[in-house]
Amino acid sequence: MIDPSARISPTATIAPDAEIGPNVIVGDHSSVGGGTRVMANAVIGPWTTVGCNNTIHYGAIVGHDPQDFGYHGEESYLELGNGNIIREYATIHRGNRAGTKTVVGNENFLMIQSHVAHNCILGNNIIVAGGSLLAGHVEVADRAIISGNCVVHQFCRIGGFAMMRGLSRTSRDVPPYCIMDETHTVKTLNLVGLRRNGFDQKRVRAIKNAFAVLFRSGLNMPNAVAKVEAELEVTDDVRHLLDFIKSSKRGVCFGKGQAVGDFD
């Protein structure tokens, strides 16, 4: 169903069972998949692909131009997957250069006035709470939680099952499984999140042992990683954590009082 007041580009494609509300704009070369509901005054596109069974609330902006002085109207893209909830006045912007794209996966929940900037890559089952801001080129892995009014610097990564506490900010990568607070400071493990997502006691114990060395031992990060690899059981979960740290280009968040030392 398409409301008569909606403005749909002649080059856009709307699935027969999509619902397009009053005063919605769907831009050039965009598509809206089956079962998706777009509520009043929302804007889609141009060059935006919206998958199936999404709910896009009042006034949300999905696929508008990037906020980048270097962008001059080139064709760039947004790909929004399936089953996402985009709440009121949230904004998701397209890529900032010709041929580039922003990607948001499936079953994500972007709350009121949250912002996903150009060239971000979001996985699945992520929560971005109200007022949180993801700068350009940020990557967020599956089942991460970004609490209210957090800010994430461009090119940072948020690891899977990580949680940023409300009002926190980071210009460094947030490791998987961790809770981050204040300014890129790792506080503890996200034990509640791990257990809710099926991590059994053995898996959690291995992560806790590695966490203690990485963020509580006082060692700088390269030495802490070496100690974990030499002395502890390196399960698949622990290997994922270590690989995340070693692949960081911005450096990872650190434990309170920890000696800071990044990999080259």
Side-chain angles (χ1 to χ4, degrees), residues 50-244:
V50 176
C52 298
N53 301 314
N54 297 286
T55 304
I56 299 173
H57 284 253
Y58 304 103
I61 309 296
V62 178
H64 193 39
D65 295 353
Q67 297 179 128
D68 185 330
F69 284 125
Y71 177 77
H72 302 292
E74 299 91 342
E75 182 175 335
S76 63
Y77 310 103
L78 167 66
E79 296 178 0
L80 179 68
N82 304 316
N84 297 286
I85 300 172
I86 313 298
R87 290 304 303 252
E88 300 91 329
Y89 309 107
T91 55
I92 312 173
H93 288 169
R94 303 191 319 276
N96 68 339
R97 295 293 183 270
T100 67
K101 61 186 176 181
T102 301
V103 178
V104 178
N106 304 317
E107 306 291 338
N108 298 297
F109 188 11
L110 275 59
M111 296 186 187
I112 184 170
Q113 293 183 325
S114 57
H115 175 61
V116 177
H118 59 81
N119 302 87
C120 285
I121 300 175
L122 274 61
N124 306 314
N125 301 106
I126 294 161
I127 297 173
V128 182
S132 288
L133 308 175
L134 308 184
H137 303 273
V138 166
E139 298 182 15
V140 185
D142 294 354
R143 298 189 181 276
I145 298 175
I146 300 171
S147 302
N149 294 303
C150 292
V151 290
V152 181
H153 194 278
Q154 62 183 350
F155 293 100
C156 285
R157 300 178 300 158
I158 312 297
F161 306 98
M163 178 178 178
M164 295 180 66
R165 283 179 174 159
L167 298 174
S168 62
R169 52 207 177 272
T170 189
S171 58
R172 301 171 74 91
D173 292 344
V174 180
Y177 321 127
C178 296
I179 293 178
M180 194 217 83
D181 202 1
E182 299 173 339
T183 302
H184 45 242
T185 302
V186 170
K187 293 293 187 177
T188 187
L189 279 176
N190 184 14
L191 294 175
V192 173
L194 294 178
R195 289 168 182 154
R196 284 177 177 172
N197 284 282
F199 283 66
D200 61 27
Q201 188 174 8
K202 182 178 180 181
R203 292 178 70 184
V204 171
R205 186 184 304 113
I207 297 170
K208 287 177 69 173
N209 291 339
F211 178 90
V213 174
L214 294 168
F215 300 105
R216 294 288 183 267
S217 66
L219 296 171
N220 67 26
M221 192 57 72
N223 289 337
V225 167
K227 183 177 178 68
V228 170
E229 292 180 323
E231 300 180 12
L232 298 183
E233 179 185 10
V234 180
T235 63
D236 289 343
D237 299 321
V238 173
R239 172 53 58 198
H240 176 64
L241 175 58
L242 297 177
D243 288 346
F244 181 95

Side-chain angles (χ1 to χ4, degrees), residues 1-8 20-24:
M1 181 180 71
I2 299 177
D3 188 275
S5 65
R7 297 176 58 185
I8 311 297
I20 307 297
N23 301 310
V24 167

